């Protein structure tokens, strides 16, 4: 089964970080979030992969190249104008084959894709959608699911008091090629705006309603795995700290300080109190104290006398001397 990684979005809710980089390249424990997704695909045998690109496409393609460093064979589908959540998939239909996986390249998860594939192959539905139970439905699209797992309807970000389900759509799908029969005709998308191209289409607005209207079976696959769509700055912070503290198992880049760097009880003097992840090439000035959980990215400079606590310093950023930062996300200026 081949896979498509969705990597074309603008990441508007992560601005100002995404003014300077595409959302799939935003680091989680010093590696682009998309790198964690590609390594996940490789572990579960999804080695033939395509990614759609739009925002800073050269940055993504220049970093990953053919995907061999992450264990996959990666090709690209560039979109001059965004084609929507499903329009971009239709644009790559010639690559995807009879049955395929679609997964976000800018979310953080350790989902068991092997188990999901087994579920998908065990039923005759046209699609399988990964779902996870959430506490606050107002932040997610949720699915109404029957006792047999068949999807019966959706609600978009309902207030918890009005929600008919707490199963959030994770945006991880497995489809049979017949799904393309239920796409809108070019130019007929319900979700398309005035400036959207003719091939624009959206899963929630265009494709899934057609399946429901046509009584076409498709199913939910409930997961307990970690999933964070890194939709905003707080979720980016949570994802990094969860990865640092082991709530999700992903590979990190750099030196992990688990306890006290000096080996003695820390006082007010400069010290590192873990967990602190130090990226390659970072520079710490004299009398710097960093309290974890904190992540110092590749090439970060921390000025002398600074005090940092629960800080995420993204690669290339700089902390001026004698700074005090608490709970901050620091990025390099573009």
């Amino acid at each position: 089964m081949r896979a498509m990684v969705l990597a074309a979005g603008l990441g508007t809710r992560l601005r100002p970080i995404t003014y300077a980089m595409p959302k799939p390249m935003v680091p989680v424990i010093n590696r682009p979030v998309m790198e964690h997704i590609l390594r996940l695909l490789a572990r579960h045998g999804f080695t033939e992969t395509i990614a759609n690109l739009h925002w800073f496409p050269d940055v993504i393609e220049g970093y990953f190249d053919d995907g061999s460093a992450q264990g996959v064979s990666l090709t690209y589908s560039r979109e001059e104008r965004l084609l929507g959540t499903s329009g971009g998939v239709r644009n790559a239909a010639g690559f995807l084959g009879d049955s395929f996986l679609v997964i976000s390249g800018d979310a953080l998860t350790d989902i068991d894709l092997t188990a999901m594939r087994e579920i998908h192959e065990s039923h005759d539905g046209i699609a399988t959608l990964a779902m996870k139970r959430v506490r606050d439905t107002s932040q997610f699209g949720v699915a109404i699911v029957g006792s047999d797992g068949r999807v019966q309807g959706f609600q978009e970000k309902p207030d918890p008091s009005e929600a008919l389900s707490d199963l959030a759509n994770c945006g991880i799908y497995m489809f049979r090629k017949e799904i393309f029969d239920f796409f809108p005709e070019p130019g007929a998308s319900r979700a398309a705006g005035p400036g959207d191209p003719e091939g624009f289409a959206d899963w929630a607005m265009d494709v899934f309603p057609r399946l429901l209207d046509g009584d076409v079976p498709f199913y939910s696959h409930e997961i307990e795995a970690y999933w964070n769509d890194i939709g905003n700055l707080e979720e980016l912070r949570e994802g990094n700290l969860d990865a640092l503290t082991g709530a999700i198992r992903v590979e990190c880049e750099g030196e992990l300080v688990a306890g006290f760097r000096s080996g003695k009880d820390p006082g007010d003097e400069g010290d590192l109190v873990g967990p602190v992840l130090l990226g390659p090439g970072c520079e710490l000035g004299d009398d710097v104290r960093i309290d974890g959980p904190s992540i110092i990215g590749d090439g970060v400079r921390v000025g002398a006398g600074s005090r940092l606590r629960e800080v995420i310093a993204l690669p290339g950023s700089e902390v001026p001397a004698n700074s005090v930062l608490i709970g901050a996300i620091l990025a390099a200026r573009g």
Side-chain angles (χ1 to χ4, degrees):
M1 183 183 290
R2 293 185 171 186
M4 181 161 189
V5 177
L6 302 181
L10 301 179
T12 55
R13 292 185 294 158
L14 277 180
R15 289 173 178 170
I17 293 173
T18 48
Y19 281 131
M21 70 175 72
K23 186 183 172 191
M25 293 300 295
V26 172
V28 172
I29 56 172
N30 293 339
R31 288 189 173 181
V33 63
M34 182 169 158
E35 181 162 0
H36 297 303
I37 293 299
L38 292 179
R39 291 180 181 276
L40 175 71
L41 293 175
R43 289 198 298 272
H44 290 277
F46 293 86
T47 54
E48 297 295 318
T49 304
I50 190 169
N52 66 332
L53 306 179
H54 172 75
W55 187 241
F56 291 107
D58 293 336
V59 173
I60 296 176
E61 197 164 343
Y63 182 90
F64 292 110
D65 193 30
D66 63 359
S68 57
Q70 291 75 41
V72 300
S73 175
L74 180 62
T75 188
Y76 301 95
S77 172
R78 292 202 178 195
E79 299 175 15
E80 291 187 11
R81 290 191 292 171
L82 286 170
L83 295 172
T85 58
S86 59
V89 177
R90 175 167 55 185
N91 197 46
F95 172 89
L96 293 171
D98 292 341
S99 192
F100 57 92
L101 165 71
V102 175
I103 190 169
S104 297
D106 54 13
L108 185 64
T109 183
D110 55 5
I111 180 176
D112 185 343
L113 293 171
T114 300
M116 184 174 177
R117 178 167 49 195
E118 291 172 355
I119 292 295
H120 180 66
E121 294 173 348
S122 72
H123 63 70
D124 60 357
I126 200 169
T128 305
L129 283 58
M131 303 281 180
K132 185 175 176 69
R133 296 196 182 275
V134 296
R135 292 181 180 178
D136 184 4
T137 57
S138 67
Q139 301 300 311
F140 304 96
V142 297
I144 303 161
V145 177
S147 59
D148 60 352
R150 182 170 170 174
V151 177
Q152 299 175 341
F154 294 94
Q155 288 180 294
E156 183 61 25
K157 299 181 180 179
D159 184 275
S161 65
E162 299 175 352
L164 301 176
S165 169
D166 62 353
L167 282 174
N169 180 0
C170 298
I172 304 170
Y173 310 127
M174 290 186 183
F175 295 111
R176 294 182 169 86
K177 65 179 180 180
E178 289 77 15
I179 192 67
F180 295 116
D181 296 338
F182 297 90
F183 276 56
E185 294 297 322
S189 168
R190 301 179 191 176
D196 289 320
E198 190 175 75
F200 189 96
D202 179 84
W203 294 120
M205 294 290 290
D206 295 316
V207 180
F208 295 153
R210 284 172 173 249
L211 299 182
L212 293 170
D213 292 345
D215 199 29
V216 178
F218 62 116
Y219 292 89
S220 164
H221 171 57
E222 185 176 342
I223 66 171
E224 296 183 358
Y226 184 95
W227 172 71
N228 180 339
D229 71 350
I230 313 292
N232 54 42
L233 293 171
E234 182 56 33
E235 289 176 354
L236 173 61
R237 175 180 169 78
E238 289 176 0
N240 268 278
L241 298 185
D242 286 344
L244 180 62
T245 56
I248 175 174
R249 295 182 61 185
V250 291
E251 297 180 27
C252 66
E253 182 76 16
E255 175 193 356
L256 179 61
V257 178
F260 304 146
R261 180 66 172 265
S262 65
K264 58 183 176 54
D265 289 341
D268 293 332
E269 73 278 4
D271 214 337
L272 298 185
V273 184
V276 175
L277 181 63
L278 301 174
C282 70
E283 298 179 12
L284 307 184
D286 293 336
D287 190 33
V288 165
R289 174 163 174 148
I290 303 176
D291 285 88
S294 290
I295 298 168
I296 309 302
D298 302 3
V300 170
R301 294 183 176 182
V302 182
S306 293
R307 299 291 185 262
L308 281 62
R309 183 182 184 90
E310 297 182 9
V311 166
I312 298 170
L314 300 183
S317 58
E318 184 170 354
V319 180
N322 299 312
S323 296
V324 176
L325 299 178
I326 301 172
I329 298 176
L330 186 69
R333 297 184 66 177

